[in-house]
Amino acid sequence: MATSVPQIVEVDCSTGIATTRDMTADELAAQAKMQADQAATMAAQQAAADAKAAAQASAAAKLTKLGLTADEIAALQS
Amino acid sequence: MANTMTKLGSQTATAQQYGFTFSSIPQTYTDLVLRISARSSYAAVFDGPAIFFNGVTSGYGRRTLGGNGTSNYASSNTSGSYLYLDNSIPAANASANVFGVMTIYIPNYANTSYYKAVNCEAVMETNGSASNITLTAGSWSSTSNITSLTVYSGSGNFVANSEFTLYGIKNS
């Protein structure tokens, strides 16, 4: 059974003709690198967002113990 | 100020599609503009498409500034293999049937004396969740004139009905 190669649509601007073709080796390599890079980037962004949320929750708990209201804490964190 | 805008090519995805290439771009215009209405199949709220020119996968730099109504963020890279448009289209976990809008502007694409600059504006609004705006300043460190432009969806595929239209602009 033949291996399925991902395809790309190429639009020739000189003729207006669109052709669906197999991706070249260079295009496949670029695709693989992009997906790996993006997975790493999104993981880092999620980790940063999680760390920020945890720090905000910790700060809110400490501020509550100091007597600040929920509205006052929200104002500080906005 | 541009006074002409000519469609050079257009394509609409009829099924999930990873990428599109516009080739044999005429060298007779001043600037290029690519308009995209798209959504990704990636299992996240956003996906980040990427573009590259002439099939060359080196020399790209960019900085992205984004805002979603509750927080702002920034990301960047240099010496990239492609111009990454971070968080610029909705993906599978965004509200159903929402497509993002992008405009990619490339001035002086036919010039062979200096590097190419790219401006990308992307917006999406999901009627209650995950609204997002990004602005990406990009560059391609090449003096080559741009004869082809490739767009990849990122981590997923462009879904059906995603639209891509390339225009040439003349300023005289």
Side-chain angles (χ1 to χ4, degrees):
Chain A
M1 182 176 175
T3 302
S4 177
V5 177
Q7 295 189 312
I8 192 167
V9 176
E10 180 168 341
V11 181
D12 186 325
C13 294
S14 66
T15 64
I17 296 173
T19 305
T20 301
R21 59 167 175 77
D22 290 349
M23 293 173 73
T24 66
D26 286 346
E27 289 170 342
L28 289 169
Q31 177 193 30
K33 177 169 175 43
M34 182 186 312
Q35 291 180 336
D37 288 350
Q38 185 155 346
T41 297
M42 296 188 79
Q45 290 174 342
Q46 187 60 54
D50 290 347
K52 182 177 180 180
Q56 286 181 324
S58 174
K62 292 172 182 173
L63 291 170
T64 299
K65 289 181 179 177
L66 292 174
L68 276 70
T69 67
D71 286 346
E72 290 169 335
I73 293 170
L76 287 172
Q77 293 185 333
S78 62
Chain B
M1 185 68 177
N3 62 8
T4 66
M5 187 169 180
T6 303
K7 185 174 78 172
L8 304 180
S10 183
Q11 191 66 30
T12 301
T14 55
Q16 289 201 14
Q17 185 70 46
Y18 187 70
F20 294 86
T21 291
F22 292 93
S23 61
S24 302
I25 296 173
Q27 301 297 296
T28 52
Y29 296 90
T30 310
D31 307 334
L32 295 176
V33 60
L34 177 64
R35 302 298 302 269
I36 298 174
S37 169
R39 178 182 175 97
S40 167
S41 64
Y42 184 47
V45 177
F46 304 114
D47 201 355
I51 62 175
F52 53 94
F53 306 116
N54 299 357
V56 176
T57 52
S58 63
Y60 300 92
R62 60 97 196 176
R63 175 164 287 277
T64 300
L65 304 177
N68 56 24
T70 57
S71 63
N72 303 318
Y73 57 91
S75 64
S76 65
N77 68 269
T78 58
S79 303
S81 301
Y82 44 81
L83 183 53
Y84 178 45
L85 305 174
D86 192 9
N87 280 353
S88 53
I89 61 171
N93 294 348
S95 298
N97 302 318
V98 169
F99 281 55
V101 181
M102 299 175 66
T103 300
I104 300 169
Y105 199 92
I106 308 161
N108 299 315
Y109 71 100
N111 186 283
T112 58
S113 299
Y114 50 80
Y115 294 169
K116 304 303 175 293
V118 180
N119 170 40
C120 176
E121 300 167 20
V123 298
M124 55 174 279
E125 211 295 311
T126 64
N127 192 25
S129 62
S131 297
N132 199 58
I133 298 172
T134 62
L135 175 63
T136 298
S139 65
W140 182 38
S141 299
S142 171
T143 57
S144 298
N145 52 316
I146 294 173
T147 58
S148 75
L149 188 163
T150 297
V151 187
Y152 281 175
S153 66
S155 295
N157 291 312
F158 293 117
V159 302
N161 298 313
S162 294
E163 295 182 347
F164 306 79
T165 304
L166 182 67
Y167 298 91
I169 289 180
K170 286 185 178 178
N171 62 6
S172 62

